[in-house]
Every structure is written in C-alpha cells, then in structure tokens.
Amino acid sequence: MRRLLLLRHGKADRHSAGGDRQRPLTRRGMEDARRMGEYLRDADIMPGLAVASDARRAKQTLDQVLEAFPGHVTHLIENTIYLATVDHLVEILRQTPDRVATLLAVGHNPGFAELASWLAGSGEAEDLALMRSKFPTAALAMLDFETDHWADVGRGGARLARFVTPGILRGEATEDPD
C-alpha cells in the first residue's frame, strides 16, 4: 500500500514585496500548519518523505508540520510544484521511490484540489463531497493506494481515507474560510 498526504499550504498574507512566491504565512497559517502536524503525529502517521513547493508559504507550512515529529523526516523542495497542473503533479508522484510508503506533499490550489479529486475513486461519501466542494488552506487529503509502486497510481485509483481541515481540528464547522 502507498499513502499520499496532500496538504495545501497554510493561510498566507495577500501580498509580498517579493511577489507571489515570497508570500509568508499569517499567524493563523502557522498555527494551522502546526496543528496539522500534531494531528499527523497523534494519529501515528509518519511520512517517509516530504516534498514541498519552493514558495515561501509552502516551505513554512512544511517546517511547521515537521516540527511535530520527534525524529527527522527526509524532505526536499521541488520548484515545479508551484502552480503545477494535475498532469505534472501526477508525473512527480509517479517518480516517488517505492521505498517511500507514505509521501507528504505540500503545495497549492487549484492543482492540489484537482489532483485529490482526480485520484480519489472511493471513500466516505461525506468526506469526498467536502473535499470536492472546497479544499481550504492547510487542509489535508489522505489518499491510500492498493499498489506497491508509485508509478502505477492513476485516476480514481485511491481511496480517500480522511479529509481534515483546520476548522475540523478546531471543532468548528466543516466550512473553513480560505
């Protein structure tokens, strides 16, 4: 089995003097990313590899999530994740080494929301509907594949095991603001 943890970056400032790639997380974005890391740790879900977009907000999200884990998680920054299409994200996913059972990917919408919908062929109806209606900042789609090889993942080949938003973790309504 392979598990993909698709995590949208946390809430970011609207503007940055350095352009869109340099937009930092807001305080809420930092807190939500930290909370999502704690959620993964408490659920005993440890990525074997983490990869993030090179945008500042994605790297900061990854840093906050990884702080929750007691041990080192191998991670890398992939500049082509930034504003990538579903086709390109699938290409990256299929290149993941098979020794990695659980991959954490931190990136952006619309690509991540579209990828999650493209991959998810099954799961709880309520979770699927929620994920497909809105993929807010710092939301996590946990997708499981019944395969031994990342190269074999395809459209509809995953089961959405969980869809978690920061609002759900805070005990708020399922509709998170963006």
Side-chain angles (χ1 to χ4, degrees):
M1 187 180 90
R2 301 284 164 239
R3 173 168 278 171
L4 173 62
L5 307 171
L6 272 182
L7 177 63
R8 184 176 174 201
H9 65 76
K11 181 154 183 72
D13 280 341
R14 295 258 182 232
H15 304 286
S16 170
D20 187 62
R21 280 189 195 239
Q22 294 306 313
R23 290 174 38 217
L25 291 180
T26 62
R27 175 179 289 148
R28 189 187 97 195
M30 296 287 269
E31 290 169 0
D32 288 346
R34 179 187 43 74
R35 187 176 287 113
M36 198 57 70
E38 291 168 353
Y39 169 80
L40 289 170
R41 180 200 63 215
D42 294 348
D44 201 26
I45 300 167
M46 175 88 165
L49 174 66
V51 60
S53 160
D54 67 341
R56 183 176 179 189
R57 59 195 179 274
K59 292 187 290 187
Q60 288 179 314
T61 299
L62 177 63
D63 289 344
Q64 290 297 306
V65 168
L66 294 182
E67 281 186 18
F69 296 104
H72 174 76
V73 175
T74 301
H75 58 280
L76 57 96
I77 304 302
E78 173 56 56
N79 66 343
T80 65
I81 291 175
Y82 180 77
L83 302 181
T85 64
V86 169
D87 289 342
H88 185 70
L89 292 169
V90 170
E91 247 180 70
I92 293 170
L93 183 58
R94 288 178 177 159
Q95 292 174 21
T96 303
D98 287 335
R99 64 178 160 66
V100 175
T102 302
L103 173 67
L104 168 63
V106 182
H108 312 269
N109 270 356
F112 269 37
E114 292 170 358
L115 177 63
S117 290
W118 190 85
L119 291 169
S122 64
E124 293 295 322
E126 186 176 314
D127 284 347
L128 284 165
L130 179 61
M131 180 191 74
R132 289 179 173 145
S133 69
K134 185 162 187 172
F135 204 112
T137 54
L140 174 74
M142 187 178 310
L143 298 152
D144 291 340
F145 301 88
E146 292 294 329
T147 183
D148 293 328
H149 307 287
W150 287 104
D152 296 337
V153 302
R155 183 179 199 134
R159 179 181 63 81
L160 180 65
R162 300 179 197 173
F163 183 68
V164 183
T165 67
I168 291 170
L169 295 181
R170 289 189 300 261
E172 298 170 359
T174 56
E175 296 247 353
D176 277 334
D178 213 9

